[in-house]
Amino acid sequence: MKIAVFPGSFDPITRGHESIIRRALPLFDEIIIGIGYNSNKNYYFSQERREHFIRLVFEGEGKVKVMRYSGLTVNFCKEINATYILRGLRTSADYEFERAIAQMNQNMAPEIETVFFVSDPALSHISSTIVRDILLFNGDVSKFVPGAVKI
Ligand code: ADP
C-alpha cells in the first residue's frame, strides 16, 4: 500500500494545492492531507475550518483522507505508515526552502521519500498568504480557491 502525506497549513486550501493532490492521485493508493500545527504560526482560519474546506473539496474521493497532526512530519508519516511526502514547487525560492526540508527529512527518516510536483504554470502565482491578504481587505478570492470552497 503506497501511502503519501501532503503536509501543509492549508490556511486556506487553494487551487494550487488541489491541483498537486489531483495530479498525485494516480501514483498512490492513499493520500493523507496532513494539517500541521505549528505553535509559532498565527492562523487565519481555525483548524476546524481548514479541515472542513479540504473535506468539501475531496468529498467522494475515496483515496484522499484529511488528518491533523503536530510535531515532525516524518514522525506523523511513521505513525500512519506513509512512506512518501508530497510537496509542490512554484519558484526557485520554493525549491531552496523545500530542498533543505527534504534533505533534513531524508537524514532523519531515509525510508521516507519526498516527491515534488512542479506547479501548473497557470497556478504558480497562487499562495495561501496572498489569499489571506485579499481576505483581510474583503477582496474576492473565488478564483484562487477550489470551487467547492465558498469563503
Ligand atoms: P506550508 O505552511 O508548509 O508552506 P502550505 O499550505 O502553504 O504549507 O503549502 C503546502 C505545499 O503546497 C507546499 O509544498 C507548497 O509549496 C505547495 N503549494 C502551495 N501553493 C501552491 C501552488 N500554487 N502550486 C503548487 N504548489 C503549491
Side-chain angles (χ1 to χ4, degrees), residues 6-20 23 41 43 69 86-91 94 97-98 101 116-120 122-129 132:
F6 186 48
S9 310
F10 307 104
D11 190 23
I13 186 168
T14 67
R15 288 187 190 235
H17 298 131
E18 180 189 15
S19 160
I20 301 290
R23 286 167 59 197
K41 274 195 181 179
Y43 297 101
Y69 74 99
L86 301 181
R87 295 291 283 179
L89 295 176
R90 287 163 290 189
T91 59
D94 267 359
F97 178 73
E98 297 289 345
I101 296 175
F116 292 107
F117 282 78
V118 175
S119 173
D120 175 335
L123 303 174
S124 60
H125 59 292
I126 301 178
S127 75
S128 297
T129 309
R132 290 193 299 274

Side-chain angles (χ1 to χ4, degrees), residues 3-110:
I3 306 176
V5 168
F6 186 48
S9 310
F10 307 104
D11 190 23
I13 186 168
T14 67
R15 288 187 190 235
H17 298 131
E18 180 189 15
S19 160
I20 301 290
I21 295 159
R22 295 205 189 279
R23 286 167 59 197
L25 270 176
L27 271 55
F28 300 99
D29 298 304
E30 202 167 76
I31 296 180
I32 312 287
I33 303 176
I35 308 176
Y37 177 72
N38 180 342
S39 56
N40 293 322
K41 274 195 181 179
N42 283 320
Y43 297 101
Y44 187 91
F45 291 103
S46 67
Q47 271 202 324
E48 290 74 17
R49 275 252 15 244
R50 285 182 276 145
E51 183 174 342
H52 174 66
F53 289 149
I54 300 172
R55 288 194 190 282
L56 287 176
V57 177
F58 294 103
E59 212 166 30
E61 180 46 77
K63 284 165 88 175
V64 176
K65 297 203 165 57
V66 190
M67 293 176 81
R68 300 183 207 167
Y69 74 99
S70 54
L72 290 176
T73 302
V74 287
N75 288 346
F76 175 59
C77 289
K78 286 180 195 170
E79 273 166 34
I80 60 167
N81 293 320
T83 45
Y84 298 92
I85 294 174
L86 301 181
R87 295 291 283 179
L89 295 176
R90 287 163 290 189
T91 59
S92 53
D94 267 359
Y95 172 74
E96 283 306 325
F97 178 73
E98 297 289 345
R99 179 182 59 81
I101 296 175
Q103 289 174 336
M104 293 291 272
N105 285 336
Q106 156 84 34
N107 194 297
M108 291 187 287

